[in-house]
């Protein structure tokens, strides 16, 4: 019981492959099987990681950021390479581009890939390819550790916002399973629960893939946090009945103006929270902020297969299945990051705020 008893979502280390050969591996929980089975699988190639990301075996913005970085480390450590630095660097660019485009919406994926590719690129330029694998491995291990530390800081910063005895509602899974460990929105919930600030959590089912019912409710139950699942279309009614004191969600990409992409359904939740005067918070690491995009309309939205929504034997309806939607900054009462909480302030030019202001937040 307790959050510390949860399994880690991603782990790196030397492991035996199917042929009994010792290789650098990335172990993940196969999240497609949860909650029925918590199976750990180990991946040894970057192609296997791309497939795991696309099939939602590993998912959630921070987790796919570290998994994407891990894909590059697997390529550097396990695959044969041209030892000429220019040829190596060109192949690295090709693999990095392929991994970064595995899913389009969460900016953390390309962020993680860039971090490790940059570290390898610098090592190769300085000393040739000999140490590239060691550099890549050290870099992903550092990123994995930093992710957990970041989530714990998000948790501590967010917990302070909640009055004692709060009941909160969350959408999708922004928990330990969506990160290396601990979670972002659920990180806030774990920290606040320990302090008595949260007494109950309402989990949106999160159609069509069911991250809320399959992952969040499972994870919270394992951690001993009291929770209830409702269908997505029941959230507004819970608010109307006075059962929700705050909404906390994660994010896949936050634009410079604060517009935020998160799991589809987040936008209607924010509208319902606004109508009922319930604070709506986004919890995310600063690596989820994309200052290169001015506003939400520029965020690439992933569309997924219609069979996720409707799979019948005799009938195949036309299906609309965006995996994410955009919540405008005007509906968000605060961004809970590892560096502090940013609250929207109306600026002279009429914009709510600019997340470049983040640089002014003193690190904890
Ligand atoms: O399609 P998914 O399951 O990867 O979507 C995940 C979400 O939308 C999460 O809320 C988001 O990535 C934040 S995870 C800390």
């Amino acid at each position: 019981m307790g959050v510390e008893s949860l399994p880690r979502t991603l782990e790196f280390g030397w492991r035996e492959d199917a042929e009994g050969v010792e290789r650098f591996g990335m172990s993940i929980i196969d999240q497609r099987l949860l909650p029925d089975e918590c199976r750990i699988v180990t991946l040894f190639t970057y192609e296997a990681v791309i497939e795991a990301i696309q099939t939602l075996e590993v998912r959630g913005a921070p987790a796919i950021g570290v998994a994407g970085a891990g894909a590059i480390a697997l390529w550097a450590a396990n695959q044969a390479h041209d030892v000429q630095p220019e040829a190596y660097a060109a192949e690295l660019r090709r693999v990095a581009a392929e991994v970064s485009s595995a899913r389009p919406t969460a900016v953390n994926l390309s962020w993680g890939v860039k971090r490790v590719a940059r570290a390898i690129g610098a090592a190769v330029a300085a000393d040739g390819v000999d140490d590239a694998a060691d550099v890549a491995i050290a870099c992903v291990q550092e990123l994995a550790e930093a992710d957990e530390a970041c989530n714990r800081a998000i948790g501590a910063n967010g917990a302070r916002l909640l009055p004692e005895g709060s009941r909160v509602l969350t959408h999708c899974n922004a928990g330990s399973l969506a990160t290396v460990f601990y979670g972002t929105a659920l990180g806030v919930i774990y920290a606040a629960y320990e302090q008595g600030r949260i007494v109950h959590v309402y989990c949106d089912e999160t159609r069509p893939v069911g991250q809320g019912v399959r992952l969040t409710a499972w994870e919270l139950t394992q951690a001993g946090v009291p929770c209830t699942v409702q269908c997505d279309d029941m959230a507004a009614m819970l608010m109307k009945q006075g059962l929700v004191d705050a909404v906390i969600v994660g994010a896949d990409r936050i634009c410079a103006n604060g517009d935020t992409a998160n799991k589809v359904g987040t936008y209607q939740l924010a509208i319902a929270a606004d109508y009922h005067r319930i604070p709506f918070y986004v919890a995310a690491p600063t690596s989820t902020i994309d200052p290169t995009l001015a506003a939400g309309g520029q965020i690439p939205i992933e569309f997924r297969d219609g069979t996720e929504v409707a799979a019948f034997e005799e009938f195949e309806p036309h299906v609309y299945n965006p995996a994410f939607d955009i919540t405008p900054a005007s509906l968000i009462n605060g961004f809970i990051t590892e560096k502090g909480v940013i609250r929207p302030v109306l600026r002279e030019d009429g914009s709510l705020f600019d997340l470049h202001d983040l640089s002014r937040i003193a690190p904890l």
Side-chain angles (χ1 to χ4, degrees):
M1 270 295 193
V3 59
E4 307 302 334
S5 70
L6 290 172
R8 301 184 79 77
T9 305
L10 284 167
E11 275 182 312
F12 297 98
W14 294 90
R15 322 247 194 273
E16 272 190 11
D17 68 11
E19 279 83 46
V21 180
E22 181 100 336
R23 298 168 87 196
F24 185 63
M26 182 172 95
S27 298
I28 59 168
I29 299 170
D30 184 344
Q31 298 192 29
R32 297 168 305 176
L33 307 177
L34 285 172
D36 296 328
E37 187 188 346
C38 185
R39 188 193 297 169
I40 311 281
V41 292
T42 303
L43 312 174
F44 294 99
T45 65
Y46 82 90
E47 293 96 335
V49 178
I50 290 176
E51 194 184 334
I53 290 172
Q54 290 175 335
T55 58
L56 308 185
E57 222 170 309
V58 58
R59 43 137 313 273
I64 65 172
V66 178
I72 305 300
L74 298 187
W75 169 80
N78 297 338
Q79 279 163 259
H81 305 110
D82 194 319
V83 292
Q84 293 304 317
E86 295 75 27
Y88 185 96
E91 184 63 0
L92 172 62
R93 278 196 298 276
R94 187 193 65 73
V95 172
E98 200 181 325
V99 175
S100 297
S101 60
R103 289 187 79 189
T105 303
V107 74
N108 308 63
L109 178 55
S110 54
W111 175 89
V113 169
K114 261 185 222 148
R115 290 288 289 262
V116 69
R118 213 178 286 152
I120 300 175
V124 170
D127 301 314
V129 303
D130 287 356
D131 295 332
D134 289 344
V135 167
I137 290 170
C139 182
V140 289
Q141 272 162 340
E142 229 171 76
L143 285 179
E145 276 167 34
D147 178 73
E148 177 180 343
C150 178
N151 296 330
R152 290 185 189 271
I154 290 172
N157 289 338
R160 293 188 200 116
L161 297 172
L162 300 164
E164 218 170 276
S166 295
R167 296 142 311 162
V168 304
L169 189 145
T170 190
H171 188 69
C172 192
N173 173 267
S176 192
L177 288 165
T179 62
V180 173
F181 191 73
Y182 203 72
T184 57
L186 293 200
V188 174
I189 286 169
Y190 292 132
Y193 180 70
E194 263 173 31
Q195 298 170 15
R197 292 171 186 266
I198 282 182
V199 292
H200 202 86
V201 181
Y202 290 99
C203 315
D204 269 356
E205 176 194 20
T206 318
R207 279 278 291 154
V209 175
Q211 288 93 335
V213 60
R214 291 191 307 104
L215 307 178
T216 298
W218 178 80
E219 178 179 327
L220 289 173
T221 304
Q222 295 290 111
V225 178
C227 62
T228 300
V229 174
Q230 67 286 338
C231 299
D232 305 339
D233 46 12
M234 299 167 185
M237 186 168 164
L238 279 173
M239 292 179 189
K240 171 96 178 152
Q241 290 176 339
L243 294 170
V244 179
D245 301 301
V247 177
I248 311 175
V249 298
D252 288 84
R253 195 184 296 233
I254 303 170
C255 294
N257 75 341
D259 290 353
T260 296
N262 191 49
K263 178 56 55 193
V264 69
T266 302
Y267 175 39
Q268 65 185 24
L269 202 54
I271 293 171
D274 184 54
Y275 181 83
H276 292 97
R277 306 266 183 278
I278 294 168
F280 184 93
Y281 298 115
V282 169
T286 49
S287 55
T288 303
I289 297 170
D290 182 354
T292 69
L293 299 188
Q298 297 169 348
I299 298 177
I301 297 292
E302 175 185 7
F303 278 76
R304 294 185 63 88
D305 203 281
T307 52
E308 284 184 348
V309 174
F312 307 114
E313 277 178 20
E314 303 292 336
F315 174 55
E316 202 179 316
H318 188 259
V319 166
Y320 177 67
N321 188 21
F324 302 94
D325 61 22
I326 312 288
T327 300
S330 56
L331 295 176
I332 299 170
N333 297 96
F335 292 86
I336 305 165
T337 77
E338 77 278 15
K339 295 188 181 181
V341 178
I342 310 161
R343 289 183 184 272
V345 177
L346 193 61
R347 291 150 66 104
E348 277 174 15
D349 65 0
S351 65
L352 275 173
F353 55 78
D354 189 328
L355 288 177
H356 288 98
D357 291 352
L358 257 185
S359 55
R360 292 201 217 120
I361 292 181
L364 290 178

